[in-house]
Amino acid sequence: MYAYDQYDQAMVDARVAEFRDQAQRRLDGKLSEDQFKPLRLMNGLYLQLHAYMLRVAVPYGTLDSRQMHALAEIADKYDRGYGHFTTRQNIQYNWIRLEDAADILADLAKVEMHAIQTSGNCIRNISSDHFAGAAADELIDPRPYAELLRQWSSFHPEFSYLPRKFKIAVIASDTDRAAMKLHDIGIQIVRNDAGAIGAAFYVGGGMGRTPMIAPCIREFVALDQLVTYAEACLRVYNRHGRRDNKYKARIKILVHELGAQEYAAQVEAEFAHLLDQGVEPPLAELERIATFFADPPFEDDAATEIDRSDPDFALWVDRNTHPHKTPGYVSAVISLKPVGGIPGDASADQMHLMAELAKDYSFDECRVMHTQNIVLPHVKIADLHALWSKLDEAGLGSPNLDTVEDIIACPGLDYCSLANARSIPVAQKIQQRFADSGRTAELGELKLKISGCINACGHHHAGHIGILGVDRKGTENYQLLLGGSEAQDTSLAKITGPGFDEDGIVDAVEKATDVYLSNRADGERFLDTYRRIGMAPFKEALYD
Amino acid sequence: MTESPAPGTDTVAGVSPDDVQFRFREDEMADHAQVTVDAFLEQADAAAVRIEPGDDARALIPHLERLKLAEVNFPAFGDGRGYSSARILREAGYAGELRAVGDVLVDQLGYMRRCGFDSFAPDAPIAASDAEAALARWPHVYQNAADARRTIPEARHE
Ligand code: SF4
C-alpha cells in the first residue's frame, strides 16, 4: 500500500502544527466559535449534540495493521473505547475533547494518517472499491488513481471553498461496489477499443434531499490527462455552482439544471484550455504511486479446498467471502453488524484484533467498506477456518454480509444535531426481528439502509429497502422506501406511502419481506422481485 | 498619480491604496479607479476593474493590455469563486496587480497567493506576524497553480 515520503509527511505535519495553533487560539478565547468553525471543519472536527466528533480520513479505505492499532489506541486514550466506521470508508470518534484534538492529529500523523478535508466545502476523502487489488472481476487496481487524486485534491488552492462538499469515488470493475454513480464525480477506470487504460467520468450524482444518478460526461480520459480533466470539472462547478441556496449547491443540481450535455461541453472547453497550462503531474508520478500497490507475494498453488463440515463456518464462508483474482485466496469480510450492536462500531479491542488478523492472514492490510464492515482482502483459503475461529470468539464472526442484518445506519438522533429521528435503535430492532424469526439466510441479499434525516448519510435512497427518519409533529416517524440500488444497476428507492412509528417500521419491513418471499421467482433477490412486480403488492400488504 | 473617472461613469466602491495591507509587487501602487466588469468593457480607457463573485473574468481577457489592477471581491470568505477568477486571469497572461479584498482571512492567504493574488486588502486587518506565519506554513505544494512553486510531483521526478 501507499507509503508517505518526506513530502507527504511534511504536509501532514504542517497541518498538525497549524491546527494546534488554531485550537489553542480558540481555547484562549482569541478566536470565537464562529471564526473557529471553518478552521476546525477543515480538520474533520464537528460539534455534535453532546461532544466534538472527529472524523479521520482513511484514503480509499485502506489501512495496515500499524494504522488500525493506532486507531484503536486513539479510541482508548481519547474516546470511550470505541470508533465508528462510516459509509465514506472513514472512522469517526464521537466523544472528543477540543483540548485533545491536536494531540490526536499528531498521533495520526505518526502513522501516516490525518483528518484533512473530512468535512467542509472541499474535496473530501477519495473512496474506492473495498475489494480493490483483490477482486477477480477487476480490470486493474483503482487505488493508484485514487491516491493521485488524493494528492491533487489535498490543500487545493482553488477548490477549498466550493459551493458544497465534493465526493469522488474511483472504481475499476464493471461491478460497482462503491456507489460510484452516487458521487459528485464517479470515475471508472476502463480499457478502450484501442486497448489503452483510461477513465470514464460520471458527474453529478448524489444522495441527500435530491438524489440523482450521475450521467457519464466523458467515456474516456487518457491517464496522463486525468488530473487536468478533474480540474476542469471542478472549475466549471466552482464558477457556476449555486451559492444562493445550500440545498441546491451540490454539483448534481448544476449538472441537472444545465443538462449533462451542456455541462460536458463547458468542461470540454475548460479542459482544452487547461491542457496548455501544465497542471498535470508527470506520468512518472502515477507510475511511482502504482508501484506501492503491486501484488503481495501470493503463493502459487495455494489450496482451494476446505473442510466445510462445521456448518457455522461453512455459512460464514458462503456469506462473508468474495472471489479473489488469485487461486487459493479470497477476500474475507469481518461483519461489524452483530445483532443488537451499533452498525459500524468497533471497540478498541476489536480493532486491535482486526489489526493482528490483517497482519497474520492478509499481508498486513485491511479495508474499510462503505457498508461499515472491514475486509481482509487477501486471505488464503486454507487459513479461513483459523481466521473465522478467532473472529467468532471475539464476536466478529456474524455471517451476515449483504443480508437484512447488514444494515447501514447513520448516527441519527443519538449523536447528530441535524437528525429528525434515531437510526441505531431501529437498525437493532430490525436485526433482532429477523435473527429471531430465522429468516435472514432465507432472504438472501437484501440491502437495508437507514438515515435519520433527509441528508441521507445512511444512503436510504439506495437501499433495496430504505428507511428515512422524519419529524411528524414532534415525534419520530419513519418512511419506508423500496427499490433502490447503489450497485452497477443504480436506482433510487421510492417511498411506499405514509410513515410509521418505531415499532410500526419494523413490522412494515417484515411485511415487505413477506411479500417478496411469497412472490419471488427462482433466484430472484428482493430487489429483482420488486422490480418485476412493482410497488402495488407491497402497498397493499402495508396499508390495507 | 490619481486618475479621476470621467463624470457619469460608474466607478464602484473599490478599495483605496491605503487599504492595502500586504503587497507582493515591486512596481509602484497606482490609484486607479476601479469600475465594474461591464463598465470596464464599455470604457476603452478604464485601467482597473473590480470583479464580483458572479462576474465572468473571461470577459476581460481580450482587454488585458490596458488592465493594470484587478480587484477581486470576496463578500464572504466561503464564496470561493474569486479563486477561479484569479487563476483565469493569470492563465491568460495577466501580469498586473491582482488584489483580494473583502472577507479575506489569514488562513486563506496561502491559497490566494497560489491562485495569483499579489495584494491584499482585508476588511478586518490581519496581524503582520500572523500573515507571515500563514504564508510560510506549507513547506511544499501538491498542485500546479498560478504561482511558480515547484510541486511535490515535480520534485519527486526531477
Ligand atoms: S442523515 Fe441526517 S441524521 Fe443521519 S447523520 Fe446525516 S445529517 Fe445526521
Side-chain angles (χ1 to χ4, degrees), chain A residues 181-214:
Chain A
K181 288 181 193 161
L182 295 170
H183 282 73
D184 296 289
I185 293 182
I187 294 173
Q188 183 178 352
I189 304 297
V190 292
R191 191 191 296 282
N192 69 6
D193 294 341
I197 301 282
F201 271 67
Y202 294 78
V203 182
M207 297 202 232
R209 56 188 70 208
T210 321
M212 302 229 185
I213 298 169

Side-chain angles (χ1 to χ4, degrees), chain A residues 5 8 154 158 231 239, chain B residues 56 84 87 91 142-143 156:
Chain A
D5 65 1
D8 297 308
S154 295
E158 185 177 343
E231 186 120 344
R239 296 184 69 215
Chain B
D56 183 1
S84 289
R87 268 187 84 184
E91 285 167 4
Y142 281 113
Q143 315 80 0
R156 281 173 178 151

Side-chain angles (χ1 to χ4, degrees), chain A residues 360-416:
Chain A
D360 293 347
Y361 295 109
S362 185
F363 297 99
D364 200 19
E365 199 181 320
C366 59
R367 313 274 175 80
V368 184
M369 301 170 76
H370 86 273
T371 54
Q372 307 179 286
N373 296 306
I374 302 292
V375 190
L376 302 183
H378 314 296
V379 179
K380 254 199 299 188
I381 289 175
D383 288 338
L384 279 174
H385 193 272
L387 170 64
W388 171 77
S389 306
K390 289 179 186 171
L391 287 172
D392 198 39
E393 205 176 305
L396 289 169
S398 303
N400 56 11
L401 176 67
D402 291 339
T403 68
V404 69
E405 292 175 19
D406 187 8
I407 296 172
I408 288 184
C410 79
L413 200 54
D414 291 298
Y415 296 99
C416 174

